[in-house]
Structures are given as C-alpha cells and as structure tokens.
Amino acid sequence: MSKRWLFLSAAAVLIVVSLALVLLPGHKDDEAVKSEAGSVVTEPSATSSGPAKSPSPSGSSTASARATAASKKPSATPSTRTTATPAAPPATKTGQQASGTAPLAGRIRPGVTYRGVATFYDADGGGACLYDPSGDVMTGAMNTTDYEASKACGAYVLVHAANGASITVRITNECPGDCAPGQIDLSAQAFAKLAAPSAGRIPITWNLASPSTSDTISIRYKTGSTRYWCGIQAIGHRNPLARLEVRAGSGWRQLERTDYNYFLSEDGSGCGGALRLTDIYGQQLTVPALAVRANVTQPTRVQFAKH
C-alpha cells in the first residue's frame, strides 16, 4: 500500500508538473494579452497625447498662422478703413465745397470764420507784399501761416471784435515770428476802430471779404525787368489773386509766385505780352499787352466781380 501510494503520488506530481508546463505558456500569453491590453488602454492615451502632440504643433502652427493672418487681416482692414475711409469723405467733401465756392483758394477761404487776436503797429500800406505806401491805412499784416507765401496779399478781410465793432482791412504785409495762426497785426488806425489802443491785444474773428470798389486792377513790372527777364505784380484786385499767366505762343503759361508777391518769368517768356489773371473763384480776366516799364504802375480796365 505504501509503495503504491508513493507511486500514485509520484505520478500525480508528474501530471501536475506536466500540466504546469503546458499551462505555463498560456499563462505568459495571458500576461502578454493583459500587458497588451494594458498597453492598448495606455496606447490610446499615448496615441491621444501623441497625435495631440504631433498634430498639435502642425495644428497649432496652422491655427497660429490663421490666427496671425486673421489678426493681420482684420487689423489691416480696419486700419485701412480707419485711415482711408474716414479721411476720404472729408477730402471729397472739401473738394466739392472748393469747386462750388473757391476752387483755387489757399488757407483763407470764403464762408469760413477764423479766430485769433488783433495787435497793431505803425503801418503805411507797404510791407512784404511790396505794395507802395499809400494814404489807405485800413491795412493789416497777416501771420506767416495764413500769409501763405504771399497768397494773402491784396485780400480784404472783415475783422470783428468781441464788442461788436468791425472793420475791413486789406492785407499788405506779413507778420512773422510772434504772430500765431489767426492773428492779424493791424495798422494803428484800424485797431482803433475796434478797441482803445491801450488794450494792446484783443480777441477777434475774421473772414474773407469781397468789397464794393470802383477801382480797376493795375499791373507793375518789377525793377530790373526787361523783355528777357521780368517780375509782374497785380495791384488792387477785389478778390485774392490765384494765378497770373502770360501769353506764350498760342497758349498761356502760368508764372511762379514769389513770397514777395511778384510772378516771375525767368526766361522772359511773355514779358510785355498779354496777361491773364485768375482769382480764387476761378474768374479770369485778360489784360492786353503792356510795355515792360520797370517799377511803373500801369492801370487796366478790368476788375473781378463781387462775391
């Protein structure tokens, strides 16, 4: 009994060992499957993080590029709209107003009220515009900004004081240096029409005028003018003068205006010939040929219409 039991026990052990050996690979496979299953569980996460990382750069790069492009486009478009669109209407509007009123006006425009101050000095009608001193002392010197390199010369402006007094003066001079935009340095006589001289300096408003006058325009050739070089000046025009042209062949040639209020023909073209004057409203007057007589004021029979 004892030997048989030992034999059976040994046989049972052998069977168990064999079964263990048979089952061992299966067990490894299960572990592998578990391991693979585990990695499969992890892999999606890795895949999810992997692709998320991998597409993320390209995706974020694309998104960034789009965002940058989008941010550039909107910012560019609005800025373009902001700079161009708002700016365009006023420019167009101003252009329409200009063409309807005074297409050739400079800084001083009809229908516009300007604010500034009035001071005074001992004026005699002469000055930077190179007009002759005269008995007409209702004159003024325009600040450099509004003088605009002599474009204001000969302009009539109606000046109003805060007390209700007003006076029309003709611009014959420039007030440089201390005179701010809007300021007019009046003749002492003109200032006295607005306030007591002791005031010294008063606030004013002023606007362009086109006064009644029976005078006609005069023409003067500058000292030193000949048929080969000349400077031409128009005097006594009711409205600001915008252009002076000389007859050149079958057409007209516009002369350049100096800041001392003469129009120059450097090569003598048109000197002694017919002239064409244009005011800021676009009205044109033709002056028949006048002899080149230096520093002599020659009357004409023309004058601009009242506005």
Side-chain angles (χ1 to χ4, degrees), residues 199-262:
R201 178 186 184 94
I202 60 171
I204 57 167
T205 60
W206 55 273
N207 53 275
L208 188 63
S210 180
S212 298
T213 180
S214 57
D215 293 340
T216 58
I217 297 172
S218 297
I219 299 296
R220 177 165 57 192
Y221 279 94
K222 194 176 187 309
T223 302
S225 292
T226 66
R227 298 186 68 84
Y228 306 102
W229 178 94
C230 65
I232 308 171
Q233 183 185 61
I235 305 166
H237 40 85
R238 186 202 311 263
N239 306 319
L241 188 63
R243 292 177 185 162
L244 188 150
E245 299 166 283
V246 293
R247 173 68 77 178
S250 58
W252 294 96
R253 175 188 170 193
Q254 183 176 339
L255 298 185
E256 183 180 353
R257 188 176 198 163
T258 65
D259 59 1
Y260 51 86
N261 197 34
Y262 270 89

Side-chain angles (χ1 to χ4, degrees), residues 216-221 227 232-233 244-247 252 270-277 284-293 298-303:
T216 58
I217 297 172
S218 297
I219 299 296
R220 177 165 57 192
Y221 279 94
R227 298 186 68 84
I232 308 171
Q233 183 185 61
L244 188 150
E245 299 166 283
V246 293
R247 173 68 77 178
W252 294 96
C271 295
L275 307 175
R276 187 165 72 177
L277 311 177
Q284 294 183 328
L285 303 173
T286 301
V287 178
L290 295 170
V292 180
R293 299 170 63 194
Q298 303 184 62
T300 72
R301 296 183 178 181
V302 298
Q303 181 58 274

Side-chain angles (χ1 to χ4, degrees), residues 3-303:
K3 288 183 180 178
R4 180 178 287 178
W5 176 252
L6 289 172
F7 176 76
L8 290 173
S9 296
V13 171
L14 287 173
I15 290 168
V16 170
V17 171
S18 297
L19 287 172
L21 290 173
V22 171
L23 293 173
L24 187 58
H27 176 73
K28 286 182 182 176
D29 288 341
D30 288 341
E31 289 298 325
V33 170
K34 284 182 185 177
S35 177
E36 286 172 5
S39 72
V40 169
V41 174
T42 311
E43 208 166 43
S45 206
T47 304
S48 151
S49 67
K53 288 181 184 175
S54 171
S56 183
S58 63
S60 65
S61 169
T62 307
S64 241
R66 285 179 187 166
T68 307
S71 68
K72 283 183 182 173
K73 283 182 183 175
S75 70
T77 308
S79 72
T80 302
R81 287 180 184 167
T82 306
T83 342
T85 308
T92 308
K93 194 172 181 183
T94 303
Q96 288 170 349
Q97 288 175 344
S99 62
T101 54
L104 302 177
R107 286 183 56 85
I108 303 175
R109 310 183 66 78
V112 177
T113 297
Y114 300 86
R115 295 183 181 278
V117 296
T119 47
F120 65 91
Y121 73 112
D122 292 326
D124 59 4
C129 295
L130 292 192
Y131 297 134
D132 288 336
S134 69
D136 177 14
V137 289
M138 292 300 114
T139 60
M142 186 62 76
N143 66 84
T144 298
T145 301
D146 296 317
Y147 179 78
E148 201 176 359
S150 86
K151 284 185 181 179
C153 285
Y156 288 89
V157 295
L158 179 59
V159 184
H160 304 269
N163 60 10
S166 62
I167 183 69
T168 298
V169 297
R170 186 168 65 104
I171 302 304
T172 60
N173 202 358
E174 176 187 10
C175 179
D178 295 339
C179 281
Q183 182 173 349
I184 302 178
D185 202 20
L186 300 171
S187 66
Q189 295 87 337
F191 187 91
K193 299 282 186 183
L194 301 177
S198 58
R201 178 186 184 94
I202 60 171
I204 57 167
T205 60
W206 55 273
N207 53 275
L208 188 63
S210 180
S212 298
T213 180
S214 57
D215 293 340
T216 58
I217 297 172
S218 297
I219 299 296
R220 177 165 57 192
Y221 279 94
K222 194 176 187 309
T223 302
S225 292
T226 66
R227 298 186 68 84
Y228 306 102
W229 178 94
C230 65
I232 308 171
Q233 183 185 61
I235 305 166
H237 40 85
R238 186 202 311 263
N239 306 319
L241 188 63
R243 292 177 185 162
L244 188 150
E245 299 166 283
V246 293
R247 173 68 77 178
S250 58
W252 294 96
R253 175 188 170 193
Q254 183 176 339
L255 298 185
E256 183 180 353
R257 188 176 198 163
T258 65
D259 59 1
Y260 51 86
N261 197 34
Y262 270 89
F263 294 80
L264 299 186
S265 175
E266 301 280 4
D267 59 2
S269 175
C271 295
L275 307 175
R276 187 165 72 177
L277 311 177
T278 306
D279 69 6
I280 62 170
Y281 300 97
Q283 182 184 358
Q284 294 183 328
L285 303 173
T286 301
V287 178
L290 295 170
V292 180
R293 299 170 63 194
N295 204 28
V296 173
T297 301
Q298 303 184 62
T300 72
R301 296 183 178 181
V302 298
Q303 181 58 274

